[in-house]
């Protein structure tokens, strides 16, 4: 890893630089607060690198252009916030079913609807998982610092290419607009999509059986292969197929390809958990409050640790269950009404208490709110 | 190249109804590909959803079958990412100018170098004959049983107003005109639209007293006039007429070509893109 010097920048800038470092060369998007800096910076930076930027007529068209560009072989991304993310759900399904790699940055803001347009929230956890209709898996990563904005954007592209899937970078207004130092180092690893090696006539873009990680190679439009991309029910060749056994096979595949690769996809970070009797489990901007609360609680002699969910989807059930098994109680601060807490509840044993700290007034959860809950629990 | 090379004949017969115009349009498209010696590897057929959106099932080129109304937006990304590709977008009237109306006008305005072949059968055939954005006033459809109270788009005028440099209209019973206009559209650098009026005897025809394709084609013919003749007519006389032929053919630099100048400026540290 070649280190570059530290830069003082906002999260949205680091996301853009992460995308470029990962090799992304196409952006299509629609302006929306609090993500617009990603579009603005991309419009300057992409042509410098020979890439392309286009501002589309809406978010539906934006993600469509991103998917199209990726199918033509160029790593592609878009950035948006709640209302735009809602509009993208339709074609997010095309990327799922067509198995087209792409990265969608959602800098979360207050909702529902237009909500408080400039204010932060963490309310799109479930939308990231279930926003587009039908059964499917998805990958969502959530940064809690400007450095993680950069690093996780690179990782998002790597996972998208490796697993032929849309990946959602679930940032939030606080992290997107916050400025702090980060190092735009050269990525340790850049994953390029697997290309077919078979004879031209044998190529089937959806023939995943027997492939490594059960991911079929993807030939770009314009290669020596004929590629048929299909967002409707299709067979291994990409031809429309209404056979019920075929639908069963592929819909299970959209789910199972993530389940089978959970160990590779899921990332969590542990802080002071070795001797912890209580745990804070959180993600995104709330990690920062959680870490400050941890320090304050430790000063007061409460044995607290913190589990940061870097990967939100697939949900780190095993990692969470292990912590819940160890501690007496878990506090889950999140700027929503318990979307992560609900997932934790699924694996939380009865001996472990589970408390949510939830704010939807667009105020960041303070360390003292978390501390108060920990003190109450530890009495 | 033989035009049959572009057809997946193993999947014939075509699933479209008897009397439908789609097969004839598909024939004109693959004949145009053959005439221009298109490489299958460098051609992408992008389709939407609907009867005409099934057309990619029958072509041997690359294909992209996306969502209802969004074909032009997918095509925009495909073409901009790889300008060497020939990108051909197949849409119906419901697909192209109703649910996809926003993408349609902006693709024309943006002038992305793709060729859109829009088959207009005046209704949603696939879902059972409901009215679309092109259904004529007073028509009976599955959702306008008392007569349609909205006026339909003039799709070609919509494209021209939005800035499309090449716009032509013909009907699916004129294979020579179809092939001529499609070939011209494919050769055009920039956004080109070919609207093909096609019969839907199953729904639109049946609902409006035209039980077979011949009746529908006759109805289209009665309303059709040439571009030359249209020039001699006033607005009142032109009402409800279908002007057939090349309606506009102008030169306008396409988005991709302009963007290559943006790249040059960015890389040379300039702020202007002349």
């Amino acid at each position: 890893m070649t280190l570059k010097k530290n830069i003082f920048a906002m999260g949205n800038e680091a996301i853009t630089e992460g995308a470029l470092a990962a090799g992304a060369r196409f952006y299509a998007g629609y302006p929306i607060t609090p993500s617009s800096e990603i579009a603005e910076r991309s419009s300057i930076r992409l042509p410098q690198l020979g890439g392309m930027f286009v501002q589309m007529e809406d978010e539906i068209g934006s993600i469509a252009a991103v998917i199209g560009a990726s199918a033509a072989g160029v790593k592609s991304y878009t950035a948006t916030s709640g209302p735009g993310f809602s509009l993208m759900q339709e074609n997010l399904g095309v990327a799922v079913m067509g198995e087209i790699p792409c990265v969608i940055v959602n800098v979360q803001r207050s909702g529902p609807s237009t909500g408080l347009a400039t204010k932060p929230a963490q309310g799109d956890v479930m939308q990231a998982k279930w926003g587009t209709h039908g059964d499917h898996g998805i990958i969502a990563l959530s940064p809690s610092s400007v450095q993680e904005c950069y690093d996780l954007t690179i990782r998002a592209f790597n996972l998208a290419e490796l697993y032929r899937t849309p990946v959602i970078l679930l940032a939030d207004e606080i992290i997107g607009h916050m400025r702090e130092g980060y190092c735009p180092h050269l990525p340790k690893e850049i994953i390029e999509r697997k290309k077919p090696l078979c004879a031209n006539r044998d190529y089937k873009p959806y023939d995943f059986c027997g492939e490594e990680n059960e991911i079929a190679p993807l030939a770009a439009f314009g290669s020596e292969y004929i590629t048929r991309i299909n967002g409707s029910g299709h067979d291994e060749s990409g031809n429309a197929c209404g056979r019920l056994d075929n639908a069963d096979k592929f819909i299970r595949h959209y789910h199972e390809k993530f389940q089978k690769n959970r160990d590779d996809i899921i990332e969590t970070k542990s802080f002071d958990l070795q001797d912890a009797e209580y745990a804070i489990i959180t993600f995104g901007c709330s990690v920062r409050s959680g870490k400050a609360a941890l320090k304050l609680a430790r000063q007061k002699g409460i044995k607290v640790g913190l589990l940061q969910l870097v990967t939100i989807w697939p949900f780190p059930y095993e990692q969470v269950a292990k912590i819940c098994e160890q501690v007496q109680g878990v506090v889950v601060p999140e700027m929503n009404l318990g979307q992560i807490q609900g997932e934790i509840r699924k694996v939380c044993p009865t001996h472990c208490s589970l408390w949510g700290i939830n704010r939807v007034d667009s105020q960041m959860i303070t360390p003292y709110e978390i501390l108060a809950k920990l003190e109450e629990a530890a009495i | 190249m033989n035009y049959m090379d572009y057809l997946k004949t193993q999947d014939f017969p075509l699933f479209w109804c008897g009397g439908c115009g789609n097969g004839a349009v598909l024939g004109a498209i693959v004949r145009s590909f053959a005439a221009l010696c298109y490489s299958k590897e460098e051609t992408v057929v992008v389709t939407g959803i609907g009867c005409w959106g099934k057309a990619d099932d029958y072509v041997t080129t690359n294909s992209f079958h996306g969502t209802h109304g969004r074909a032009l937006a997918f095509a925009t990304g495909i073409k901009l990412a790889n300008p060497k590709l020939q990108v051909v977008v197949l849409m119906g009237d419901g697909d192209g100018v109703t649910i996809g109306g926003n993408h349609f006008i902006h693709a024309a305005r943006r002038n992305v170098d793709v060729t859109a072949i829009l088959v207009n059968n005046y209704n949603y055939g696939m879902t059972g004959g409901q009215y679309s954005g092109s259904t004529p006033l007073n028509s009976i459809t599955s959702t306008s049983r008392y007569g349609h109270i909205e006026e339909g788009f003039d799709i070609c005028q919509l494209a021209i107003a939005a800035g499309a440099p090449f716009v032509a209209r013909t009907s699916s019973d004129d294979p020579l005109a179809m092939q001529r206009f499609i070939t011209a559209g494919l050769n055009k650098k920039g956004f080109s639209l070919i609207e093909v009026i096609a019969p839907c005897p199953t729904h639109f025809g049946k609902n409006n007293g035209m039980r077979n394709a011949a009746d529908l084609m006759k109805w289209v013919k009665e309303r059709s006039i040439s571009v030359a003749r249209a020039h001699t007519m006033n607005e009142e006389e032109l009402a409800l007429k279908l002007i057939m032929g090349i309606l506009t053919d102008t030169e306008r630099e396409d988005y991709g070509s302009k963007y290559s100048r943006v790249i040059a400026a960015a890389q040379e540290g300039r702020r202007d893109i002349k």
Side-chain angles (χ1 to χ4, degrees), chain A residues 57 90-91 227-228 231 239, chain B residues 8 56 59 62 65 67 70:
Chain A
E57 50 274 13
E90 174 194 64
N91 286 334
T227 304
R228 304 179 66 79
N239 296 323
Chain B
K8 276 171 69 191
D56 62 284
V59 296
N62 294 296
H65 182 66
T67 34
R70 320 300 175 205

Side-chain angles (χ1 to χ4, degrees), chain B:
Chain B
M1 290 287 275
N2 184 322
Y3 73 89
M4 292 299 283
D5 293 342
Y6 298 97
L7 286 172
K8 276 171 69 191
T9 48
Q10 68 270 31
D11 288 341
F12 281 16
L14 303 170
F15 103 120
W16 296 308
C17 305
C20 173
N22 287 351
V25 188
L26 185 62
I29 292 169
V30 293
R31 285 185 179 89
S32 303
F33 286 177
L36 297 171
C37 296
Y38 270 15
S39 128
K40 286 186 273 190
E41 289 78 12
E42 292 197 344
T43 304
V44 188
V45 171
V46 185
T47 54
I49 303 292
C51 293
W52 184 224
K54 292 284 285 176
D56 62 284
D57 289 359
Y58 305 114
V59 296
T60 55
T61 64
N62 294 296
S63 63
F64 190 106
H65 182 66
T67 34
H68 194 34
R70 320 300 175 205
L72 279 168
F74 289 112
T76 297
I78 294 167
K79 180 67 186 184
L80 296 184
N82 185 352
K84 281 191 306 193
L85 295 169
Q86 303 291 346
V87 181
V88 184
V89 188
L90 311 185
M91 306 174 292
D93 47 303
D95 204 32
V97 293
T98 313
I99 190 170
N102 201 28
H103 309 302
F104 182 84
I105 55 173
H106 285 281
R109 177 188 62 80
R110 194 174 284 123
N111 197 20
V112 184
D113 182 22
V114 301
T115 302
I117 299 159
L118 191 149
V119 175
N120 180 7
N121 65 4
Y122 297 115
N123 74 161
Y124 288 89
M126 181 79 97
T127 48
Q130 299 82 8
Y131 63 78
S132 78
S134 76
T135 301
L137 187 70
N138 298 325
S139 305
I140 306 296
T141 69
S142 303
T143 44
S144 61
R145 288 289 175 204
Y146 303 99
H148 191 39
I149 57 171
E150 303 172 18
E151 307 220 15
F153 271 133
D154 181 324
I155 295 169
C156 288
Q157 287 304 325
L158 185 65
I160 292 167
F166 183 91
V167 176
R169 181 192 284 127
T170 182
S171 60
S172 64
D173 64 348
D174 194 342
L176 292 178
M178 277 196 289
Q179 192 180 327
R180 200 167 76 240
F181 297 164
I182 291 167
T183 308
L186 292 171
N187 278 333
K188 187 79 191 176
K189 185 89 172 149
F191 183 83
S192 51
L193 170 76
I194 297 94
E195 180 191 2
V196 182
I197 309 292
C200 176
T202 304
H203 298 297
F204 188 78
K206 192 181 76 182
N207 282 328
N208 291 284
M210 296 172 280
R211 287 207 158 261
N212 59 52
D215 291 344
L216 274 157
M217 295 326 291
K218 212 172 127 197
W219 173 71
V220 171
K221 277 276 172 287
E222 282 163 4
R223 295 192 301 143
S224 299
I225 53 164
S226 67
V227 174
R229 175 125 181 265
H231 283 310
T232 67
M233 295 165 75
N234 63 34
E235 209 168 304
E236 208 176 315
E237 291 167 324
L238 279 172
L240 300 176
K241 291 281 186 256
L242 276 171
I243 306 172
M244 300 292 196
I246 295 172
L247 304 184
T248 196
D249 188 359
T250 56
E251 295 304 322
R252 196 155 76 80
E253 193 178 18
D254 70 291
Y255 185 94
S257 302
K258 280 186 178 168
Y259 202 87
S260 57
R261 292 192 284 124
V262 173
I263 291 174
Q267 293 186 336
E268 290 160 21
R270 288 186 283 115
R271 281 290 177 104
D272 61 283
I273 54 160
K274 28 175 208 289

